[in-house]
Amino acid sequence: MSKRILVTGGAGFLGCHLCRELLDEGHEVICADNLFTGSKANIVQLLDSRRFEFLRHDVTFPLYVEVDDIYNLACPASPIHYQHDPVQTTKTSVHGAINVLGLAKRVRARIFQASTSEVYGDPHQHPQREDYWGRVNPIGPRSCYDEGKRCAETLFFDYHRQNRVRIKVARIFNTYGPRMHVNDGRVVSNFIVQALGGQPLTVYGNGQQTRSFCYVTDMIDAIRRLMATPDDITGPMNLGNPVEVTILEIAEKIIALTNSRSKLIFHPSPIDDPVQRCPDITFAKQTLGWQPQVGLEDGLTQTIAYFDKLLAGANDGLR
Ligand code: NAD
Ligand code: UDP
């Protein structure tokens, strides 16, 4: 059945893939985004559809629309962008959550929250399971994002308990793919753009820190499956790819896949940079019948092809 769906942050990396998927499934989509890190280029092809509408809107202000489902993705996700205006980042997560939850309560919509592996901070449990409470610095440069997202989770669960709002909270682990911004600042896009440009790859710290990278199509599939679960499935649910790699390994892989002659250059480690991160996805596997399908090499190859075309000034080839 066709639905009216609000996607906040719909002009961002994950948001534009989600909007495309929802349109392809026959839904009406309202994309609300203030274009802080998102761009019109990400949604320009979607504007051809009469079922797609773009609203330039900041989620820290209330929004009055009539919708069946809400996906709340609005929030800068890259450390350089969320640290640019940390007060606005916290407001986006916290005031934003209050506004979209108020909307969900009024129109009785189901609501998805894009939470994050950052709620685990620099974890002492490895891999991280959903029942781990995390190890987050409340006053550091990453706190605006980490604590903002933690507070948003609190609000989601309180609106659920207090007002019976139907919630779906996903803790998303590092996800990459086409349509990341060239200047996004996260590691995969940085390394690819540097390797393609023959620039040194900027490794922060000694490169022994780990992450687990999920390709965007796998993530969108998981998000859609979580939203389709019965109301008693609220999450929080880890979504990500459990294959863990060091930052040095990813740098070397990207150099090899781009046939680049770039070298590595080492910069100081950012404050509070988590040392290890890997999701335990047992809950998602059992509940959604889902696990990532795209391996790191395939995903990187597709992402490299996207940036290669983009940097050459050609049409990016995506719909
Ligand atoms: P992104 O920065 O590409 O997209 C975020 C979008 O939100 C952008 O379009 C931006 O303009 C918009 N936005 C920011 N502040 C806003 C505001 N106040 N009002 C309206 N729109 C606003 O990042 P992404 O990777 O697409 O992430 C999407 C969501 O998923 C974020 O909430 C992020 O925290 C979460 N997440 C992503 C990852 C990942 O690896 N991609 C991991 C964990 C969590
Ligand atoms: N990183 C790096 N070089 C870069 C960008 C990031 O070495 O140009 C490192 C960063 O210090 C972190 C890891 O890569 O250890 C992932 O960083 P990213 O910003 O992509 O995501 P997050 O820290 O939020 O997981």
Side-chain angles (χ1 to χ4, degrees), residues 142 203-207 209 266-275:
R142 295 175 82 99
V203 176
Y204 303 160
N206 61 10
Q209 69 272 36
F266 290 84
H267 289 298
S269 179
I271 296 171
D272 295 336
D273 197 18
V275 175

Side-chain angles (χ1 to χ4, degrees), residues 77-80 82 116-118 142 145-146 173-175 180 184-191 194 201-205 207 209-211 213 247-248 250 265 267-270 272-275 277:
S78 166
I80 53 163
Y82 70 64
T116 170
S117 52
E118 300 280 347
R142 295 175 82 99
Y145 184 75
D146 303 6
F173 284 64
N174 298 62
T175 303
M180 292 184 92
D184 180 274
R186 281 175 280 183
V187 68
V188 172
S189 49
N190 267 11
F191 284 180
Q194 290 160 349
L201 273 59
T202 51
V203 176
Y204 303 160
Q209 69 272 36
T210 67
R211 294 293 187 272
F213 294 98
I247 296 306
L248 274 184
I250 193 112
I265 181 170
H267 289 298
S269 179
D272 295 336
D273 197 18
V275 175
R277 197 183 287 142

Side-chain angles (χ1 to χ4, degrees), residues 58-74:
D58 185 324
V59 294
T60 62
F61 296 95
L63 179 62
Y64 293 90
V65 288
E66 307 301 317
V67 288
D68 304 299
D69 285 352
I70 301 169
Y71 290 84
N72 186 37
L73 272 62

Side-chain angles (χ1 to χ4, degrees), residues 13-282:
F13 161 53
L14 290 181
C16 71
H17 287 276
L18 179 62
C19 288
R20 162 57 73 194
E21 175 65 25
L22 295 172
L23 285 176
D24 285 351
E25 290 173 20
H27 301 294
E28 267 182 64
V29 177
I30 300 173
C31 162
D33 198 302
N34 70 352
L35 300 181
F36 175 49
T37 51
S39 72
K40 283 191 183 163
N42 275 345
I43 52 167
V44 70
Q45 284 101 333
L46 309 184
L47 290 166
D48 290 341
S49 168
R50 281 166 39 208
R51 288 182 284 105
F52 183 78
E53 191 180 345
F54 172 69
L55 304 177
R56 189 191 279 253
H57 174 79
D58 185 324
V59 294
T60 62
F61 296 95
L63 179 62
Y64 293 90
V65 288
E66 307 301 317
V67 288
D68 304 299
D69 285 352
I70 301 169
Y71 290 84
N72 186 37
L73 272 62
C75 187
S78 166
I80 53 163
H81 295 298
Y82 70 64
Q83 290 173 23
H84 169 74
D85 183 350
V87 173
Q88 171 68 7
T89 299
T90 304
K91 280 188 187 169
T92 294
S93 278
V94 178
H95 291 188
I98 292 170
N99 288 327
V100 289
L101 284 161
L103 173 64
K105 179 182 157 192
R106 182 176 66 80
V107 302
R108 298 180 191 284
R110 233 174 3 177
I111 180 164
F112 170 90
Q113 167 66 357
S115 190
T116 170
S117 52
E118 300 280 347
V119 301
Y120 301 121
D122 191 7
H124 275 172
Q125 183 192 87
H126 197 74
Q128 294 84 53
R129 269 201 331 257
E130 288 88 350
D131 57 7
Y132 179 51
W133 290 354
R135 201 172 77 90
V136 174
N137 177 357
I139 57 166
R142 295 175 82 99
S143 311
C144 58
Y145 184 75
D146 303 6
E147 296 289 18
K149 289 282 187 180
R150 286 170 68 95
C151 183
E153 285 200 9
T154 307
L155 285 161
F156 269 71
F157 278 85
D158 282 334
Y159 269 80
H160 173 65
R161 282 186 288 257
Q162 206 173 322
N163 303 110
R164 295 196 299 280
V165 172
R166 293 174 295 152
I167 61 162
K168 308 280 176 193
V169 176
R171 291 182 179 155
I172 299 173
F173 284 64
N174 298 62
T175 303
Y176 69 99
R179 295 222 182 282
M180 292 184 92
H181 197 281
V182 187
N183 299 319
D184 180 274
R186 281 175 280 183
V187 68
V188 172
S189 49
N190 267 11
F191 284 180
I192 292 177
V193 171
Q194 290 160 349
L196 290 173
Q199 303 296 318
L201 273 59
T202 51
V203 176
Y204 303 160
N206 61 10
Q208 292 303 328
Q209 69 272 36
T210 67
R211 294 293 187 272
S212 307
F213 294 98
C214 184
Y215 190 63
V216 61
T217 52
D218 282 330
M219 183 55 64
I220 300 299
D221 181 26
I223 290 173
R224 293 292 295 128
R225 285 174 191 242
L226 174 56
M227 197 59 156
T229 53
D231 289 348
D232 61 326
I233 308 291
T234 57
M237 181 183 285
N238 288 341
L239 298 179
N241 190 320
V243 177
E244 186 179 357
V245 290
T246 67
I247 296 306
L248 274 184
E249 282 167 343
I250 193 112
E252 279 152 15
K253 226 177 234 310
I254 287 173
I255 287 177
L257 289 171
T258 50
N259 291 317
S260 174
R261 302 168 89 170
S262 291
K263 302 280 179 247
L264 306 183
I265 181 170
F266 290 84
H267 289 298
S269 179
I271 296 171
D272 295 336
D273 197 18
V275 175
Q276 271 191 315
R277 197 183 287 142
C278 179
D280 180 323
I281 59 165
T282 310

